[in-house]
Amino acid sequence: MRERSIGDVEVGAIGLGAMPLSIEGRPDEARALATLHAALDSGVTLIDTADSYHWHADELGHNELLIARALETRGGDRDRVLIATKGGRGRPGDGSWTVTGAPQYLKRAAEGSLRRLGVEAIGLYQLHKPDPQVPWAESVGALKELLDEGKIRMAGISNVSVEQIRQAHEILGQALVSVQNRYSPAVRTSEDQLRLCAGLGLAFLPWSPLGGVSRSSLDDAPQLPEAGTAFHHVAAERGISPQQVALAWLLARSPTMIPVPGATRPASIRDSALAADLVLTAAELDRLATPLG
C-alpha cells in the first residue's frame, strides 16, 4: 500500500475508522476482530478510534479495548500501527453525543485511553470536538500538557474551523499533526480547512469519507442519493466498487489526505484498502468534480 505522512510517521494511505465496530448495530466480537485483522493484512497501519465509540453507557472505551485485543493477537503489528484515538465527547447510552472540552476532563480521558490501549504513550491523540463552553486555547492547552508529560506523542484536532486550526498550530507547533473534519463526495464544506492543512503540512483525516456513496452511521441518510452517481458510473467502467472510486478521489484532492473509512466486515476494508493504489485519470476526476447532493 502507498504511504502518506502523519507528522514523522508513515502510514498506509487508507486507514480504518473503527467506530462502526462498537456503536449501535455493531457486529459480534468475532467479526469485529476479523475485520481489524483483515485491515492489518491489507496494509492498513492507521486505526482511528475514540473513548466515546461505544453503545451502552457503561462500556466507555469499548472500541479502544477491541483494538487492543486485535493487536495483542498479532505480535509485531502493534509496533507498526498508529492508533489515533480521541477525547472530549461522551455517549450517555441513549444515542446522543455530549461534548466536554475542560482541560482536566481531557487529561483524565487521555489517561483512560492510555490504559485501555496498553501503550506507554498514545501515538496520536485528537481533541474530538470544540466545546462552546470552554475557551479553545484552554482545551488545546490540555493537549500541550499531555505532550509535555510524554503521555501522547502527537496531537490532532477534529470538527474545527480555519481559525481554530491556526490557533491550535500556534499553541502546539510541530506537535499538531492532523485535522479530522467531515469531508466526502457529498459534503465538501471543509475545503478551506483542507487547503490550510496542505499548506501547514497537516494530515487531513476525513470522517464519514464515503458520504454520498455509502451510508455511514453518522450520515443523514435521507439526504443521500441512490446509486447512479458519477462515482458509480466510473466504478462500473473500471469494474471496481464505487467506494474505491470515492476513496481514490479523496486521495487525489490533497497530498495530505488520509481517508479512514469505516467497516464492519473483512471484505469491506479489503476493498477500501485497494483504493490506496488506484489512480484516477484527469478525465475521471473532472466527472467527479460536482458535489453529490
Side-chain angles (χ1 to χ4, degrees), residues 136-138 140-142 144 166-173:
W136 179 237
E138 291 184 14
V140 176
K144 180 70 164 61
R166 293 190 186 280
Q167 189 175 3
H169 191 256
E170 290 176 3
I171 295 169
L172 298 172

Side-chain angles (χ1 to χ4, degrees), residues 89-144:
R89 301 207 74 177
R91 302 209 72 201
D94 60 0
S96 66
W97 297 75
T98 60
V99 181
T100 307
Q104 288 306 311
Y105 176 91
L106 293 172
K107 293 183 70 176
R108 288 195 302 271
E111 289 164 359
S113 293
L114 195 64
R115 290 191 298 272
R116 286 186 291 271
L117 292 171
V119 294
E120 294 182 1
I122 296 171
L124 172 58
Y125 193 68
Q126 305 161 94
L127 181 54
H128 207 152
K129 188 174 184 178
D131 183 344
Q133 304 302 317
V134 178
W136 179 237
E138 291 184 14
S139 296
V140 176
L143 298 183
K144 180 70 164 61

Side-chain angles (χ1 to χ4, degrees), residues 89 128-130 157-161 164 180-182 207:
R89 301 207 74 177
H128 207 152
K129 188 174 184 178
I157 52 178
S158 182
N159 298 297
V160 288
S161 67
Q164 287 166 333
Q180 187 166 166
N181 276 17
R182 188 176 190 180
W207 64 263

